[in-house]
Amino acid sequence: MKLSWKSIALHHKILAALVLGAVFGAFFNVSRYELEVTTRKDRITESHIVKNWSAIDFFRAETVKIASFGREDQLNILQFFKRLPAKERKELMMRVKVEETGPAVIKEEWRRFDNIASIEKVKTIAVQIKPVGTIFIRLLMFVAIPLVLASLIIGAASLGDITRVGKLGGKTIAWYIATTAIAITIGLTFVNVLQPGTRLSGDARDKLMVEFQGDLAADIPPVDLVDMLVNIVATNPINALASGEMLQIVFFALMIGVSLTLIPQKRAKPVVDFFDGVSDTMIKMVGMIMTIAPYGVFALIAATVGEFGFDILQTLLWYVVTLVAALSVHTFGVLGTAVRFLSGIPYKKFFIGIREAMLVAFTTSSSGATLPVNMRVCEQNLGVPKKITSFVLPLGATINMDGTSMYQGVAAVFIAQVYGFDLGLAEQLTILFTAILASIGTAPVPGVGIIMLIIVLRAVNVPEEGIALILGIDRFLDMCRTVPNIVGDATISTIIAKQEGVLQTR
Ligand code: ASP
């Protein structure tokens, strides 16, 4: 048989793209010893590459030295510039000392830069192709919002009456909370046994704090549990749709679905038919979008690996190992077994069936973007009818995050261990409870889990600044935790379908 690109199955293409993208990104990894300094004077912009410095000094008003950095300080230099008020940037002068060491000569050279507009890492080709991946994520997100709205409306409406919606909703949420609690318990067990926080040296801790504290202040908005609850109800649902507020959209759609069951059939039918059509159209669109998935995945992975600081992986190795081990046990142990025994789908069939969704979750770090793919594979490969996927999966993508909740539990204890705090059983239970709530409030998009972690830290009085310790590795861990987030949803959809007697076993 002749092997052509067209004849290869899509999941194989995506997997190949993932591996090739990672290799490409590692090869074109962004250098720690290069900076791109852009200067702007009289509307003339110039870009300069600064390499292999041995010292970089910054001066105010030509003479007053305000900061001094060494060879290893790329991140600190970027931070320093980012935090500098615009006014001070104007009168900033940068002096770079470059030493060229030959066999016998040591050449020393100072370069001077004024009117600095920006200082950035030098982007490699691996990072430059990122827009291809961003388009892929955006295409999936653009399907996700209308899909969530339409599916949940028809999902709730097709159940026929309000008591069935309530019953099925209650059952689904109970399953979601149960699996989330199991996930956190597994995470807490791993972090307490392996003690990754006590294995981090004081030096490494101080270095991480200095490098990432600046990002922290900028990234973290105030989070409040009561506000979170109040916010589920949108004052203007159109606004919620426009700004992609998932929890608000879910609530709004459920309310419409339920109300449709309460008005005369004749009036409700055209509305339901309309949204049914919208949902089918969106699912069809996902099929089209997925044909470019290999390119999107390649670009996303290449850019992530290309930007990745491998040193930080080394520094936080124990933390990463703890979390990845716990996430794997939950995904392949607990969830896989639950599917096998509670829905009767063989272990292998389940994971093969949803592998496309798992790959997309890993590369996009977004349960929201993966939702359309998850719905498609659960219907087509696992035999979960649309009636169930359209209700259970959008709800799950928004409120059920096994990976994120486990991550929040592990991260909270890790930070406490680094600070030398002893968390007793009562505190660990508080973590369990608040991580369930925090994960419910986490939006299904990249990087929100770490922001919601604040709720957990506050509940057990662990300093919020500790987040700086794990900020540098978050991009990678976000990819890892998003996989169980969507596998958990798929798991529950099969269990509910089985319990409702509608799982189509082929
Ligand atoms: N990226 C995760 C998701 O979309 C959320 C998070 O933990 O940041 O499921």
Side-chain angles (χ1 to χ4, degrees):
M1 198 184 77
K2 216 176 101 220
L3 193 70
S4 68
W5 180 244
K6 261 192 168 161
S7 69
I8 304 172
L10 182 64
H11 53 261
H12 285 142
K13 287 185 197 169
I14 301 178
L15 196 62
L18 188 91
V19 176
L20 291 174
V23 174
F24 189 79
F27 192 74
F28 292 104
N29 195 252
V30 170
S31 168
R32 286 179 54 209
Y33 302 106
E34 285 180 9
L35 286 170
E36 181 170 358
V37 180
T38 310
T39 55
R40 194 169 298 136
K41 193 171 183 209
D42 303 332
R43 299 216 187 147
I44 298 173
T45 306
E46 278 180 74
S47 156
H48 316 262
I49 305 293
V50 172
K51 279 186 193 172
N52 300 326
W53 61 88
S54 59
I56 290 186
D57 298 336
F58 288 95
F59 295 83
R60 187 191 310 130
E62 299 258 332
T63 49
V64 189
K65 194 192 269 188
I66 48 173
S68 190
F69 297 98
R71 189 178 139 71
E72 301 289 326
D73 284 338
Q74 187 201 50
L75 277 180
N76 294 336
I77 294 167
L78 295 171
Q79 285 293 347
F80 164 80
F81 188 76
K82 209 163 115 186
R83 274 182 251 165
L84 211 63
K87 211 180 97 232
E88 284 191 38
R89 282 186 193 181
K90 272 199 191 131
E91 49 173 24
L92 189 72
M93 195 258 281
M94 174 179 174
R95 278 212 322 166
V96 181
K97 184 179 176 187
V98 182
E99 273 171 16
E100 279 174 28
T101 321
V105 278
I106 295 181
K107 206 172 108 200
E108 204 179 87
E109 190 191 319
W110 281 96
R111 286 173 75 185
R112 172 186 169 148
F113 299 97
D114 297 286
N115 306 302
I116 302 167
S118 69
I119 303 180
E120 283 165 0
K121 290 184 189 172
V122 181
K123 292 191 179 74
T124 64
I125 172 97
V127 181
Q128 279 161 351
I129 59 171
K130 194 172 176 178
V132 178
T134 312
I135 291 176
F136 174 59
I137 297 193
R138 291 178 72 114
L139 279 169
L140 287 172
M141 284 310 282
F142 132 124
V143 176
I145 303 287
L147 184 63
V148 169
L149 179 75
S151 321
L152 269 174
I153 290 178
I154 52 163
S158 70
L159 289 172
D161 66 77
I162 188 164
T163 27
R164 283 210 61 204
V165 176
K167 258 197 189 151
L168 194 72
K171 215 157 62 168
T172 308
I173 292 174
W175 273 114
Y176 281 156
I177 294 181
T179 44
T180 302
I182 294 174
I184 304 170
T185 311
I186 293 174
L188 289 179
T189 311
F190 269 78
V191 72
N192 281 300
V193 172
L194 295 177
Q195 296 272 328
T198 54
R199 297 175 202 253
L200 189 77
S201 72
D203 278 358
R205 183 191 66 192
D206 297 344
K207 200 162 167 265
L208 289 170
M209 290 302 285
V210 172
E211 281 174 3
F212 293 101
Q213 216 155 27
D215 284 346
L216 197 65
D219 279 0
I220 295 186
V223 223
D224 181 73
L225 220 50
V226 179
D227 277 357
M228 206 174 92
L229 219 81
V230 172
N231 271 330
I232 294 179
V233 187
T235 47
N236 177 349
I238 307 297
N239 232 344
L241 284 166
S243 51
E245 287 292 338
M246 282 292 203
L247 263 181
Q248 296 185 347
I249 298 172
V250 167
F251 183 69
F252 174 59
L254 282 176
M255 291 294 280
I256 297 188
V258 169
S259 307
L260 280 170
T261 66
L262 299 173
I263 61 171
Q265 255 260 313
K266 210 172 126 235
R267 308 296 301 274
K269 194 167 176 306
V271 182
V272 175
D273 283 349
F274 169 76
F275 282 112
D276 215 358
V278 172
S279 153
D280 280 357
T281 313
M282 291 300 142
I283 295 272
K284 186 78 208 159
M285 216 189 281
V286 181
M288 282 157 53
I289 296 168
M290 285 306 285
T291 56
I292 65 151
Y295 308 101
V297 164
F298 178 87
L300 285 172
I301 289 291
T304 309
V305 177
E307 279 176 334
F308 196 68
F310 286 94
D311 320 2
I312 194 161
L313 186 64
Q314 234 172 29
T315 315
L316 291 169
L317 193 65
W318 273 101
Y319 169 62
V320 174
V321 167
T322 307
L323 190 63
V324 172
L327 289 170
S328 310
V329 167
H330 183 70
T331 310
F332 298 106
V334 176
L335 296 177
T337 312
V339 171
R340 168 72 192 83
F341 289 103
L342 298 173
S343 22
I345 299 176
Y347 187 86
K348 221 166 131 191
K349 180 181 170 193
F350 175 69
F351 283 108
I352 288 182
I354 60 163
R355 62 187 159 186
E356 237 172 63
M358 288 169 77
L359 287 167
V360 172
F362 183 73
T363 39
T364 61
S365 298
S366 166
S367 328
T370 314
L371 173 67
V373 187
N374 211 12
M375 288 177 75
R376 196 172 91 125
V377 296
C378 286
E379 280 167 34
Q380 291 180 358
N381 304 342
L382 303 179
V384 183
K386 191 173 161 199
K387 195 165 108 182
I388 299 294
T389 56
S390 60
F391 183 83
V392 175
L393 292 180
L395 192 64
T398 322
I399 66 166
N400 180 45
M401 298 199 179
D402 292 6
T404 297
S405 59
M406 172 193 283
Y407 157 81
Q408 286 162 340
V410 170
V413 177
F414 171 76
I415 295 172
Q417 286 170 354
V418 174
Y419 279 96
F421 291 8
D422 210 9
L423 299 180
L425 191 64
E427 276 110 345
Q428 307 254 357
L429 281 174
T430 310
I431 291 181
L432 178 84
F433 179 68
T434 43
I436 293 178
L437 292 178
S439 69
I440 291 176
T442 303
V445 288
V448 183
I450 194 163
I451 295 175
M452 299 306 275
L453 171 62
I454 296 190
I455 293 182
V456 184
L457 294 178
R458 279 192 195 149
V460 283
N461 293 320
V462 172
E464 287 161 33
E465 304 83 69
I467 291 185
L469 295 169
I470 52 172
L471 209 55
I473 196 84
D474 194 60
R475 181 72 194 84
F476 172 64
L477 294 181
D478 197 4
M479 295 164 77
C480 299
R481 66 185 182 248
T482 307
V483 176
N485 284 356
I486 67 103
V487 177
D489 302 340
T491 302
I492 305 304
S493 81
T494 65
I495 296 177
I496 297 276
K498 175 79 179 176
Q499 289 182 340
E500 294 290 302
V502 289
L503 186 66
Q504 295 147 9
T505 37
R506 275 162 289 183

